Amino acid sequence: MIDSEEIKSLLKERLSKKRYNHSLNVASEAQRLARLYGADPVKAYLAGLLHDICKELPHSEQEELMLEGDMELTGTELSSKSLWHGPAGAYYVNSCMGIEDKDIINAIRFHTVGRSGMSLLEEIIYMADLISEDRNYKDVDKMRKLAYSDLNRAMLEAICFSVRSVTEKGGYIPHYTIDAYNQYTFMCSLNRKNKEKK
């Protein structure tokens, strides 16, 4: 595995100061969540550092990387340039940095759109990106509190927040996101019913 200090040096070359600081914040948040929920904190930190590694590349370069990788892209993703950095970054860390850990690759790939059947690490990176220290949207403190108390409910709230944000802008919703919404809605409903039975 590549040393985190090497990754930080690479990120400083590739990202603006604001995006670099965001990546550090996401990595730290991911590490805390990993320790809370029993995931590997080292992998969480690295995935958090790397999640936006291709975010500020020109769209033409993001597209080239995205199409070279075998990332099972949907037409919706191909139509939404704001989503390209996820699959582009996943392919980049694998092909150019030699990272072969599928969990880290998937955490980068799906950190924006989500999906059903996410691993614990994928969920952690998704949440860490949304609640990192630099985030200041309305109700972020509520989201942070939820992330540290009930990860399934936090994921459902996070996906709903993402869907609202995209629909308000007239954007497309990838089927990965819809599948994730359905899964977490079902899981939260099941948990609620189980609690009512007790």
Side-chain angles (χ1 to χ4, degrees), residues 14-172:
R14 295 175 64 90
L15 300 176
S16 64
K17 185 176 180 181
K18 182 179 179 181
R19 183 63 51 185
Y20 174 73
N21 286 333
H22 169 68
S23 298
L24 293 181
N25 286 330
V26 171
S28 296
E29 197 73 58
Q31 191 172 56
R32 286 191 289 273
L33 287 169
R35 287 185 175 133
L36 175 64
Y37 289 111
D40 184 329
V42 174
K43 281 172 59 169
Y45 189 80
L46 290 175
L49 281 178
L50 292 166
H51 81 287
D52 271 351
I53 193 163
C54 289
K55 178 83 172 181
E56 295 181 332
L57 285 178
H59 282 124
S60 59
E61 291 182 39
Q62 289 186 35
E63 184 177 29
E64 186 178 338
L65 285 165
M66 175 179 67
L67 294 176
E68 279 183 34
D70 182 20
M71 298 290 158
E72 298 181 16
L73 298 161
T74 65
T76 307
E77 287 178 292
L78 291 170
S79 301
S80 305
K81 291 181 180 180
S82 62
L83 303 178
W84 290 1
H85 70 284
Y91 179 67
Y92 178 85
V93 300
N94 179 233
S95 63
C96 300
M97 298 179 68
I99 292 175
E100 297 182 353
D101 189 307
K102 197 70 177 168
D103 213 11
I104 292 175
I105 292 167
N106 281 335
I108 295 167
R109 162 70 177 94
F110 292 104
H111 81 270
T112 302
V113 298
R115 65 168 178 160
S116 64
M118 294 175 87
S119 70
L120 179 57
L121 180 64
E122 289 175 65
E123 292 176 331
I124 284 169
I125 299 304
Y126 189 94
M127 286 307 309
D129 186 27
L130 196 61
I131 65 167
S132 64
E133 189 179 339
D134 53 297
R135 298 295 194 189
N136 60 5
Y137 56 87
K138 185 177 178 287
D139 293 332
V140 66
D141 289 332
K142 180 182 172 185
M143 192 75 80
R144 287 179 180 131
K145 187 176 179 181
L146 195 55
Y148 280 87
S149 60
D150 186 332
L151 190 56
N152 281 334
R153 275 190 57 220
M155 285 297 299
L156 178 58
E157 286 298 318
I159 289 162
C160 289
F161 172 81
S162 174
V163 168
R164 280 195 304 272
S165 298
V166 172
T167 54
E168 283 170 7
K169 297 171 188 171
Y172 298 110

